[in-house]
Amino acid sequence: MKTVFSPLHSLRSAKTELDGGILIEPHEKPSRAETILARVRSQTLGEVIEPDEFGLEPVKRVHTADYVEFLEHCWADWVAEGKPGEAIPAVWCGRGMRPRMPKDIDGRLGYFSFAAETSISNGTWEAACASANVALTAQKLVANGERAAFALCRPPGHHAHADLFGGYCFFNNAAIAAQAFRDQGYERVAILDVDFHHGNGTQAIFYDRSDVLTISLHGDPDLVFPHFLGFEDETGEGDGKGYNLNVIYPPGTPYSEWSRGLETACKRIADFQPSALIIALGVDTFEEDPISFFKLKSTDYVSLGERIAQLGLPTVFTMEGGYDVDAIGVNVVNVMQGFESEK
Ligand code: OKP
Ligand code: MG
Ligand code: ZN
């Protein structure tokens, strides 16, 4: 299958992530994408192409105009205020306070975020736009008849809500691709999120809709990020009732356990009869991942790819998390090779 990759991802190179009360080098760093790309090439997975430019219209089908505007100007506004470091939110609308957008950049950073680990800096906007273009280009390949395509997105997207950044994510690339399918006449689209973390943004974006089925398999939010969404009693609301599925697991979960949820997810997807499938692909489920607690092994990713392929659906893979940079290339490409072995 083809891989869509933009060198502009490297513009997303924040110096800081707030972790454990100190500023560390971000886990979500440029070498992640470079390592995956190198493995795609060394395994001759298929052609690597650069994305087309889609502009902001398909982004705004998912994200609010005021949020997009905020992201575009955030860094310049921060610098104009004479702030010495990177832009980090430090105040939020707590319970009982008023959810209105303040003028001040500190206020807007809090208004448009749900977490503080993710710094905004020079180039963040450009890389986030490129990442959305990568997803939209992969979506177009599949809409034009390819069985599957790999959107090597960076920064990732699944934590981004319609108007919130956080968890290393700014634009929800998987949601943008799903909405593009809908806007091109695909009646039903399924998004399966296999990243270690709950796809809270994706869930929230489609929560009241029955045309996009959202499923996420992840670490128990009682114990890990994003903490405030992703529980199993969240099944959708209004028209969307029954069209969101969360499967949560405890620390130490191996593939033998994890794959039971995958099976449940695949049955639900088959039942839904979507015309396209998006896989929000994180490999932070890996046993050596530095910020996660599952125990998947490199060979398990081949099985995962095979199972996804058995659904027999036009499939777009969007890259999400995975922070063991030494293994990320092997694990990601194993999914694609497992997928292709099932054709
Ligand atoms: C992004 B994606 C580490 C805390 C990590 C943020 C996690 C974001 C994950 N001490 N908090 O889903 O891989
Ligand atoms: Mg997940
Ligand atoms: Zn993750």
Side-chain angles (χ1 to χ4, degrees):
M1 80 179 77
K2 287 181 181 152
T3 295
V4 187
F5 171 85
S6 170
L8 297 181
H9 83 85
S10 64
L11 295 173
R12 173 60 185 158
S13 59
K15 293 186 191 68
T16 61
E17 171 180 342
L18 180 58
D19 183 22
I22 60 169
L23 296 175
I24 62 167
E25 183 203 333
H27 292 287
E28 205 296 283
K29 56 191 173 190
S31 59
R32 296 180 59 252
E34 299 301 334
T35 305
I36 297 166
L37 181 67
R39 183 71 180 178
V40 162
R41 291 220 156 101
S42 73
Q43 293 292 294
T44 55
L45 182 68
E47 204 184 329
V48 177
I49 64 168
E50 287 202 27
D52 299 331
E53 173 64 53
F54 292 84
L56 292 175
E57 200 181 312
V59 171
K60 289 183 181 168
R61 294 285 296 139
V62 161
H63 293 283
T64 65
D66 61 357
Y67 174 68
V68 173
E69 162 96 14
F70 155 76
L71 270 187
E72 181 170 7
H73 300 293
C74 173
W75 178 243
D77 293 352
W78 180 261
V79 170
E81 288 294 312
K83 313 270 194 188
E86 298 189 324
I88 302 177
V91 60
W92 283 274
C93 175
R95 269 184 295 284
M97 298 174 85
R98 292 178 59 184
R100 61 182 288 289
M101 183 179 74
K103 283 198 189 74
D104 176 68
I105 186 61
D106 285 302
R108 279 183 292 134
L109 273 161
Y111 183 75
F112 289 116
S113 69
F114 68 91
E117 78 292 299
T118 305
S119 305
I120 289 178
S121 60
N122 195 23
T124 298
W125 161 257
E126 288 77 7
C129 290
S131 196
N133 282 325
V134 165
L136 285 163
T137 302
Q139 185 276 334
K140 189 161 94 178
L141 286 172
V142 170
N144 288 341
E146 303 265 343
R147 165 76 208 281
F150 174 32
L152 210 177
C153 296
R154 186 182 167 271
H158 71 147
H159 294 303
H161 290 231
D163 59 353
L164 297 172
F165 75 93
Y168 317 154
C169 301
F170 304 95
F171 289 146
N172 195 312
N173 306 307
I176 291 166
Q179 184 63 43
F181 275 122
R182 287 288 298 111
D183 290 340
Q184 291 161 26
Y186 287 66
E187 277 195 36
R188 285 178 304 282
V189 180
I191 304 177
L192 172 60
D193 186 322
V194 299
D195 183 280
F196 170 79
H197 301 92
H198 176 233
N200 55 291
T202 317
Q203 168 174 317
I205 287 163
F206 297 112
Y207 205 58
D208 62 358
R209 290 169 51 170
S210 60
D211 57 333
V212 180
L213 171 68
T214 50
I215 302 181
S216 180
L217 316 179
H218 49 267
D220 184 349
D222 240 350
L223 307 177
V224 285
F225 190 89
H227 297 294
F228 297 103
L229 208 64
F231 300 92
E232 291 185 340
D233 61 352
E234 297 157 14
T235 57
E237 67 184 13
D239 286 350
K241 194 89 202 155
Y243 295 89
N244 185 75
L245 173 64
N246 288 325
V247 179
I248 71 179
Y249 304 97
T253 298
Y255 189 74
S256 55
E257 296 294 325
W258 188 87
S259 60
R260 295 166 185 257
L262 176 66
E263 208 46 51
T264 305
C266 287
K267 295 215 166 81
R268 179 72 188 92
I269 291 166
D271 218 45
F272 181 62
Q273 295 185 268
S275 28
L277 173 65
I278 315 258
I279 303 295
L281 176 62
V283 293
D284 40 6
T285 47
F286 185 53
E287 56 182 345
E288 308 278 3
D289 195 87
I291 66 168
S292 309
F293 60 49
F294 292 169
K295 290 282 170 267
L296 271 63
K297 298 182 180 302
S298 289
T299 51
D300 295 331
Y301 294 100
V302 180
S303 308
L304 169 57
E306 288 169 358
R307 185 63 188 92
I308 293 166
Q310 284 164 11
L311 289 165
L313 293 164
T315 301
V316 174
F317 293 87
T318 62
M319 194 63 222
E320 302 288 350
Y323 306 99
D324 180 0
V325 176
D326 291 340
I328 192 173
V330 170
N331 292 345
V332 167
V333 175
N334 276 0
V335 174
M336 307 306 164
Q337 291 178 323
F339 184 96
E340 298 217 305
S341 73
E342 280 295 302
K343 273 196 300 207

